[in-house]
Amino acid sequence: MDSVKGNCLGYAARDSSGVLSPFHFSRRAIGVDDISISITHCGVCYAEVVWTRNKFGDANYPVVPGHEIVGLVKEVGSNVKGFKVGDHVGVGTYVNSCRDCEYCNDGFEVYCSKGAVFTYNHVDVDGTITRGGFSTYVVVHQRYCFKIPKDYPLASAAPLLCAGITVYSPMIRHKMNQPGKSLGVIGLGGLGHMAVKFGKAFGLNVTVFSTSISKKEEALNLLGADKFVISTNQQEMLEVSKSLDFIIDTASGAHPFDPYMSLLKTGGVLVLVGAPGEVKLSPISLILGMKSISGSGSGGTKDTKEMLEFCAANKIYPEIEIIPIQYVNEAIERLIKSDIKYRFVIDIENSLK
């Protein structure tokens, strides 16, 4: 069995150039609670830029990235319940946690008190470094594995495991699923376009904010947003002043915050899911309108299961561009330039051989 021989083939970065190339490595043997998954597709997230290029200074090379993983169950441990060989499954941004703290007990494992173990570039239970989904298969504890509804296309499911859940989780937590309320979405990339889709499915009035007029047509017609605002146009910004209940900020580039806070109604909330260099704003932006700014990581197992079912029931599909793994370095360059509508998904099954 290949899980024993450990002949996993992946693509890894060897240094901070971030260039990915073929890499053979061993996966751990399957334990009683583990599932071995034959990977069919893996999404390409901005995290792939951050860790392959050592932006946080904590890269453990060789780095095999990828945390929007989908595929088929090929083997299950003797204690595994609810999964069988052939099931369609997904794995997201983390593969372990303490399973004992208040956050784990509440299904918020990503916020584990002892720190969740991320799907790649983290130290796993056996002391090895976790390696992600730019690879032929993965072994994961059943708790961190998610069933994907059979009729939901696997390639489309991949971006849900990070981009999708990262916006869905705070939307549920801040009660953005109230029809008739208004949502602003800053940035229209992998996360932003999912926020628009969820917003419309929740019955919200959605306004997209972008610096790029070229995104207007798609925001309104393809994604179904109600309004499109060029964020650098002061007149357009003024017209939507104090009109929004919620804002989801997916932008990772530097941008001012006070102009956006002024768009919120009294008691409104801006949730940060992108990671700009710093957040600077006047305290008055918060105080005068009883407003708040909040952050959010991906999401726990409870929200992830709920989101996958919600997407299947409401026929919500990310906009994807499927690529072979041999194209991944060009894809990451395009991702940095925002030249993607709206998520790259690698066809692992047919190109990683």
Side-chain angles (χ1 to χ4, degrees):
M1 233 171 223
D2 50 11
S3 53
V4 179
K5 283 193 307 218
N7 60 352
C8 189
L9 171 61
Y11 261 52
R14 282 17 182 239
D15 56 46
S16 60
S17 70
V19 174
L20 295 160
S21 58
F23 172 62
H24 285 271
F25 63 99
S26 297
R27 290 282 187 199
R28 70 166 189 257
I30 185 167
V32 291
D33 290 308
D34 288 335
I35 297 173
S36 179
I37 302 160
S38 187
I39 299 173
T40 59
H41 299 84
C42 189
V44 182
C45 170
Y46 199 77
E48 271 69 90
V49 178
V50 172
W51 277 287
T52 60
R53 302 187 181 200
N54 204 18
K55 301 278 189 197
F56 291 160
D58 64 348
N60 290 299
Y61 293 108
V63 172
V64 177
H67 61 200
E68 294 182 338
I69 303 168
V70 292
L72 308 173
V73 173
K74 66 172 183 178
E75 196 185 341
V76 295
S78 55
N79 282 353
V80 170
K81 304 275 186 293
F83 293 94
K84 61 184 188 307
V85 172
D87 279 351
H88 291 193
V89 293
V91 178
T93 61
Y94 52 93
V95 290
N96 219 328
S97 63
C98 81
R99 298 177 221 150
D100 197 31
C101 68
E102 58 180 310
Y103 305 107
C104 285
N105 288 333
D106 278 347
F108 270 123
E109 295 86 348
V110 68
Y111 302 113
C112 174
S113 297
K114 296 193 172 73
V117 175
F118 293 157
T119 303
Y120 66 89
N121 197 57
H122 253 207
V123 180
D124 207 352
V125 278
D126 60 353
T128 60
I129 300 298
T130 55
R131 304 196 196 279
F134 289 16
S135 59
T136 49
Y137 81 100
V138 66
V139 175
V140 64
H141 186 284
Q142 61 180 333
R143 179 167 180 156
Y144 312 95
C145 186
F146 304 98
K147 264 218 172 121
I148 291 162
K150 261 285 197 274
D151 56 351
Y152 198 95
L154 279 172
S156 300
L160 299 178
L161 278 310
C162 174
I165 189 58
T166 299
V167 292
Y168 182 88
S169 189
M171 288 179 90
I172 295 298
R173 189 161 68 250
H174 293 284
K175 301 185 171 50
M176 297 186 197
N177 54 350
Q178 303 174 65
K181 297 270 189 180
S182 52
L183 168 71
V185 177
I186 304 173
L188 199 58
L191 277 73
H193 95 286
M194 288 308 299
V196 175
K197 285 179 184 259
F198 287 137
K200 291 312 295 177
F202 289 143
L204 303 178
N205 188 289
V206 180
T207 302
V208 170
F209 296 87
S210 177
T211 51
S212 168
I213 188 73
S214 64
K215 299 219 168 149
K216 181 172 184 174
E217 174 72 17
E218 289 207 339
L220 298 174
N221 298 330
L222 174 70
L223 303 174
D226 300 281
K227 201 178 282 177
F228 183 89
V229 171
I230 293 290
S231 53
T232 49
N233 182 320
Q234 282 178 314
Q235 185 53 41
E236 286 189 24
M237 291 287 277
L238 203 59
E239 282 165 16
V240 289
S241 177
K242 295 185 179 171
S243 70
L244 304 171
D245 295 291
F246 317 106
I247 294 175
I248 290 192
D249 185 351
T250 73
S252 284
H255 58 284
F257 284 83
D258 291 305
Y260 289 112
M261 299 310 288
S262 73
L263 307 182
L264 287 170
K265 295 178 184 176
T266 298
V269 61
L270 180 146
V271 178
L272 204 57
V273 291
E278 65 173 349
V279 177
K280 271 176 85 167
L281 73 166
S282 160
I284 296 299
S285 287
L286 300 177
I287 294 166
L288 286 185
M290 200 172 63
K291 297 168 187 177
S292 55
I293 187 163
S294 172
S296 195
S298 61
T301 54
K302 183 168 155 284
D303 284 347
T304 304
K305 288 172 187 158
E306 188 185 288
M307 174 208 60
L308 289 166
E309 282 163 20
F310 183 80
C311 288
N314 292 278
K315 299 194 167 21
I316 296 169
Y317 306 108
E319 303 297 324
I320 59 174
E321 180 177 330
I322 298 177
I323 58 166
I325 195 152
Q326 292 76 15
Y327 182 73
V328 72
N329 290 304
E330 290 88 337
I332 287 173
E333 289 301 330
R334 280 179 55 195
L335 176 64
I336 292 167
K337 295 200 283 270
S338 300
D339 175 22
I340 165 64
K341 292 168 181 175
Y342 286 87
R343 201 58 148 192
F344 286 115
V345 173
I346 303 169
D347 182 349
I348 298 283
E349 185 178 34
N350 293 309
S351 65
L352 186 58
K353 291 186 160 77

